[in-house]
Amino acid sequence: MTEHILRGDRSASCDELFKALSDGTRRALLEYLVREGEQSVHALTAISGVSQPMVSRHLGKLKRASLVTARRAGRETFYTARAKGLAPVVQWMAVYGALWSQRFTALEDLEGY
Amino acid sequence: MTEHILRGDRSASCDELFKALSDGTRRALLEYLVREGEQSVHALTAISGVSQPMVSRHLGKLKRASLVTARRAGRETFYTARAKGLAPVVQWMAVYGALWSQRFTALEDLEGY
DNA sequence: CTCGTTCATAATCAATGGGTTATGAATTGG
DNA sequence: CCAATTCATAACCCATTGATTATGAACGAG
């Protein structure tokens, strides 16, 4: 546990991550990817309830937050949830009291980064 | 109402929580409260770098997200971090982080609550 | 080559949100 | 009582954002 540093660079990634996770539609897309695995934009649009451009933009934000990766195959783009992307947020939670009574054992392997 | 993506009931509180945590200033206030304990608005303003009304508004959001509690004493209002307020987010992390790491699809058990 | 599919980007709009200063209500101290 | 302190709210300002429709590029099937 390190001493708190005013506005470290960890803060920036936390900012981006929390912002990415703070939208319900975006979280729903991410949850779907986690549950169902790699999906095309088309498939995600079908279940998202918003327009295809919006899905693309949401996925773009998730990607910039390192929460998903994109793989292009022909005219389709497949997105995949990226486990390690949550690490900074998990770290934050661990430091600031989330670890007080919950089980994070499944995420311990992410703490390397 | 078209149900495209099935969202749990915790979605609403997660939304509020993630949004509350998605601002750096707000997180800094929360972190300070966690580290230093109960603080007055005046004290928090002194270390926040923003104006007092902004601090009040940030604290209001943290309070509505159940991340802090307020105690009034005379003309001062003391705010305290409330660790349990993070519970829905921790829950979300546990569910999707665990699913993420290893694909065991026993989601139904956890979605019971 | 041509047409439909898939996806991303641009233009646009309304709403939200972080920030400020100004104001006002309580409360405390002299 | 009067003045200063503490806090919350209101009135703005401007940047961001979620959402839409329109457009265009790239690719696959015929």
Side-chain angles (χ1 to χ4, degrees), chain A residues 28 31-32 35 47, chain B residues 3-9 96 107 111:
Chain A
E31 292 165 6
Y32 190 77
R35 290 199 310 262
I47 55 99
Chain B
E3 39 260 68
H4 295 96
I5 294 182
L6 41 124
R7 287 187 209 169
D9 293 337
Y96 289 99
L107 184 61
E111 276 195 336

Side-chain angles (χ1 to χ4, degrees), chain B residues 9-26:
Chain B
D9 293 337
R10 320 198 68 79
S11 185
S13 57
C14 272
D15 234 73
E16 215 169 7
L17 274 171
F18 276 123
K19 273 183 188 124
L21 294 171
S22 71
D23 180 73
T25 303
R26 221 142 46 211

Side-chain angles (χ1 to χ4, degrees), chain A residues 26-53:
Chain A
R26 220 143 45 213
R27 236 168 27 246
L29 288 171
L30 192 59
E31 292 165 6
Y32 190 77
L33 286 175
V34 168
R35 290 199 310 262
E36 306 294 329
E38 189 181 61
Q39 298 288 326
S40 71
V41 175
H42 183 245
L44 292 170
T45 300
I47 55 99
S48 71
V50 295
S51 62
Q52 174 265 312

Side-chain angles (χ1 to χ4, degrees), chain A residues 55-76:
Chain A
V55 172
S56 280
R57 264 187 41 182
H58 279 314
L59 290 170
K61 289 206 172 184
L62 290 173
K63 188 178 167 194
R64 271 188 4 220
S66 301
L67 286 169
V68 300
T69 57
R71 175 180 70 88
R72 207 156 181 184
R75 55 185 164 182
E76 292 177 282

